[in-house]
Amino acid sequence: MSRIETLAVHAGGEPDETTGAVVPPIHLATTFRHGPAGERVAGYEYQRESNPTQDRLETALAALENGAGALCFGSGMAAMAGLLESLPAGSHVLIPTDCYTGLRALSAEFLPERGIHASAVDMADLDAVQAALRPETKLVWAETPSNPQLRVSDIAALAALAHGHGALLACDNTFATPVLQRPLELGADVVMHSTTKYLGGHSDVMGGALVFARRDDLYGRVFHRRHVTGGILAPFSAWLILRGCRSLPARMAWHCANARALAEMLVAHPAVEAVHYPGLASHPGHAVAARQMRDAGGMLSFRLRGGREAALAVAGALELAINATSLGGPETLVEHRASIEGANAVSPANLLRVSVGLEHREDLLADFSQALARLG
Ligand SMILES: *Cc1c(COP(=O)(O)O)cnc(C)c1O
């Protein structure tokens, strides 16, 4: 059973041995009985190290990404920090110019305190990536498609570049999910997820995960770091995310179909200057996306000809789509990223990001049409 629809339903989901319950139990125990000299009874000792509910999710995520092991964290940022802060002092990290804002903040504010330095490069430009590698570059961080401009970078080519340099490739696969793209199969060493998004899938649980190509020294260091620093996932959260995995392939198919329909409607609208969606043939990363992704995903962004004012007017006029941050839930969410990023905003002022939800396509198109029509 290696097809992802089947894996998603069953991985990490063996019926409970003692009761036969088809749905896994949630183990809330913080501590597990051991022998007088600390001998483990069933492999567990203390929840901060590992616990049975989180183990099930880690088994599922490793299967979905075709990795050798996964580690879950209390949020996507905790997962990201758990990996990057495990690099040796003196390391340099290459990050994408268009990326999740938390990565930018972590790189600017916290990694330098640990002697780790990051610089940004356009990951879609392989010559620029090659030129930006330094002797001390230990890791290249890709995010594809990226937030919020949906830039696409070539995972296999980046893996070859990084490995040729003795560096690792990590890939934030939050937007694509393993249903649409499996970076480890393309050569990446580590995949990161904000499981808060599509994996959880219902806008009601926070979590993060790393999936490793190998259970090597790096995996061991990150595991140990999580145990000591405590950024573990709560059992109930692990259980909700595991439940989300079950329907992930079905939800992604619907998200993709809705996003494609919305992208096609927007690109033909006179008030729209540009649509960033890798499923459109006009997208500069379309060919690479078609090669490495099964479908183009549920995220898109678009720019208004009328600038910041028009973007805010459209966001304000939507009746079905909700103005909110985050993504990957059943409800369509819209966000003016520049406003959310504040004083140091890097996103274009006329850009709106859309997490295209699971509503009926015609209702969604009608909502965006009426909001755009009000621009006059
Ligand atoms: C949300 C997000 C993160 C951070 O995850 P949290 O669960 O919010 O900590 C990282 N990368 C991407 C692409 C995201 O969308």
Side-chain angles (χ1 to χ4, degrees):
M1 63 163 218
S2 59
R3 292 188 185 88
I4 199 147
E5 292 78 2
T6 307
L7 281 175
V9 172
H10 293 285
E14 309 69 37
D16 180 41
E17 291 220 344
T18 48
T19 63
V22 167
V23 173
I26 307 175
H27 286 286
L28 296 172
T30 55
T31 189
F32 298 82
R33 182 168 62 87
H34 61 57
E39 302 91 339
R40 296 187 180 202
V41 176
Y44 299 102
E45 184 177 83
Y46 189 54
Q47 192 186 107
R48 174 154 44 71
E49 183 194 52
S50 60
N51 69 81
T53 311
Q54 183 181 254
D55 272 6
R56 281 184 180 265
L57 177 58
E58 289 177 349
T59 300
L61 294 177
L64 291 174
E65 286 287 4
N66 202 6
L71 294 172
C72 291
F73 293 81
S75 68
M77 285 311 300
M80 191 189 286
L83 178 67
L84 292 175
E85 293 181 2
S86 295
L87 294 173
S91 297
H92 170 253
V93 178
L94 264 187
I95 66 169
T97 39
D98 190 56
C99 67
Y100 186 71
T101 37
L103 174 61
R104 210 174 284 125
L106 183 68
S107 301
E109 297 173 45
F110 299 104
L111 294 182
E113 291 174 355
R114 306 182 49 79
I116 300 165
H117 294 277
S119 58
V121 67
D122 176 2
M123 287 290 162
D125 181 344
L126 296 171
D127 292 333
V129 174
Q130 172 84 60
L133 289 166
R134 301 179 190 172
E136 67 277 19
T137 305
K138 290 285 189 298
L139 187 140
V140 175
W141 186 279
E143 181 184 319
T144 180
S146 66
N147 176 59
Q149 300 196 42
L150 283 294
R151 299 245 171 92
V152 170
S153 45
D154 185 331
I155 298 170
L158 288 173
L161 273 182
H163 295 162
H165 196 76
L168 298 170
L169 178 68
C171 188
D172 184 335
N173 205 26
T174 300
F175 273 29
T177 83
V179 175
L180 306 182
Q181 169 176 286
R182 301 219 266 180
L184 300 181
E185 292 178 352
L186 297 166
D189 301 282
V190 187
V191 162
M192 178 244 142
H193 279 287
S194 166
T195 55
T196 311
K197 314 292 170 55
Y198 288 106
L199 286 155
H202 296 77
S203 310
D204 57 7
V205 58
M206 290 220 76
L210 298 171
V211 188
F212 295 80
R214 299 166 299 278
R215 285 205 186 222
D216 55 7
D217 178 58
L218 178 69
Y219 169 88
R221 267 185 292 142
V222 176
F223 181 95
H224 179 60
R225 186 162 208 292
R226 183 186 66 174
H227 183 194
V228 173
T229 58
I232 202 147
L233 188 64
F236 185 51
S237 301
W239 187 88
L240 281 172
I241 296 160
L242 185 62
R243 186 172 72 158
C245 289
R246 302 301 182 226
S247 58
L248 180 68
R251 285 186 285 111
M252 289 316 292
W254 199 259
H255 281 298
C256 289
N258 276 358
R260 183 176 299 275
L262 183 59
E264 283 168 1
M265 183 275 254
L266 290 170
V267 87
H269 198 284
V272 174
E273 181 185 274
V275 177
H276 305 302
Y277 185 64
L280 296 174
S282 56
H283 187 285
H286 178 70
V288 175
R291 200 160 67 229
Q292 71 187 12
M293 298 178 76
R294 177 166 146 181
D295 203 343
M299 294 298 299
L300 63 82
S301 57
F302 65 103
R303 300 195 198 189
L304 281 303
R305 286 195 199 283
R308 179 175 189 275
E309 249 174 68
L312 293 178
V314 170
L318 289 164
E319 290 167 357
L320 183 60
I322 301 168
N323 280 255
T325 199
S326 200
L327 56 112
E331 59 288 310
T332 294
L333 300 180
V334 172
E335 186 167 63
H336 183 244
R337 287 296 306 160
S339 295
I340 300 307
E341 291 166 9
N344 301 320
V346 290
S347 292
N350 65 342
L351 179 140
L352 290 178
R353 186 186 74 181
V354 188
S355 170
V356 184
L358 302 177
E359 297 92 345
H360 194 285
R361 198 162 312 159
E362 297 306 327
D363 294 334
L364 264 181
L365 299 187
D367 191 30
F368 279 82
S369 292
Q370 66 79 23
L372 284 161
R374 285 209 241 162
L375 287 175

